[in-house]
Amino acid sequence: MGNLAGHTILLTGASGGIGSAMAQELARQQATVMLVGRAAESLESTRQRITAVGGNAITVVADLLNPADRERLAVMASELPSGLQGLVHCAGINEFALLEGQGESAIEAQLSVNLLAPVLLTRAVLPALHKAGNATVLFVGSTFGTIGYPGYTVYCASKAGLRGFSEALRRELADSPICILYFAPRATRTAINPPQVEAMNQALGNAMDLPEAVAQAAVKHYLAGKPAQCYFGWPEKLFARMNQIMPAIVDNAISKQLAIIKQYASRQGRGS
Ligand SMILES: NC(=O)c1ccc[n+]([C@@H]2O[C@H](COP(=O)([O-])OP(=O)(O)OC[C@H]3O[C@@H](n4cnc5c(N)ncnc54)[C@H](OP(=O)(O)O)[C@@H]3O)[C@@H](O)[C@H]2O)c1
């Protein structure tokens, strides 16, 4: 029997690269996964992959920026007879561009999808998490939530906010059985990264992981319930630590990459 038999887990970003792979890992542990995203077809193909191997999943098409959709998710969670055992925030967007090239709407969208929506959704489903008792909330952050990086100013701010929120919530709920986790991948080969980011990472010698490997590590972290914050990938794991205690060293290392980063970061981002 899997470790998550009888658990229902709400997973946002389930139509994406890391989220879809996480959904399959969670289902392999016998959880019933609520697959949340906007792209109905991608959600459905993940659901079919799960059910084809005997797992359980349902799809919920929802835009996390839409209050009515968040409310619908909260109602679904509240109607679960044993509560909601797991909430995984994996939805996220980014814009790789210098700040001067980031439009206001792109800035707002990154802060809203990556930070505001997880805060509001967590609050909305808290009663269902309390009802479950030993529930787990896992936030998918990023190494960029700890290491500020050129070309990702707004994304870094959103993920740093998410990390801060998860830390404060963990301490706020320390007298309850709810477990709050933050999992930070490094660059991963998914649709979030446009070709110029892949090219830049190659030019800089930055490793890029496969989503399946990231998902396996994230679900391992979910199952272990510790450490509170987990960083995936070496040497990013070390840089994240170093950045907190000796930021000048990391400033210096990144300044050596700056010319190359600026070659690839468009002055005009994808959003307006
Ligand atoms: N790939 C990387 O290099 C990397 C590195 C570190 C951290 N991460 C983090 O990992 C997480 C997953 O990213 P990924 O690489 O798997 O990217 P992805 O393949 O682009 O997936 C992004 C997911 O976010 C969902 N999403 C975006 N806006 C949404 C909205 N308004 N409402 C509902 N869902 C929304 C997308 O669903 P729909 O389009 O169907 O709505 C999709 O499922 C993100 O939080 C990302 O920041 C990624």
Side-chain angles (χ1 to χ4, degrees), residues 49 58 64 68 124 129 146 155 173 184 199 202 211-213 250 255 270:
R49 275 198 290 276
I58 59 160
L64 294 170
L129 294 166
T146 304
Y155 180 71
L173 294 176
Q202 203 172 6
E212 293 75 16
V250 182
S255 74
R270 284 170 288 168

Side-chain angles (χ1 to χ4, degrees), residues 13-19 37-39 62-65 90-93 113 140-142 155 159 185-188 190-193:
S15 48
I18 295 173
R38 292 167 305 177
D63 183 343
L64 294 170
L65 297 184
C90 192
I93 56 172
V113 174
V140 177
S142 168
Y155 180 71
K159 292 293 187 178
R186 62 179 176 183
T188 307
T190 69
I192 207 171
N193 293 313

Side-chain angles (χ1 to χ4, degrees), residues 10 69-79 121 124-125 128:
L10 191 163
D69 284 4
R70 287 195 306 269
E71 175 59 23
R72 191 158 47 87
L73 290 169
V75 169
M76 288 177 78
S78 73
E79 287 171 350
L121 184 62
V125 303

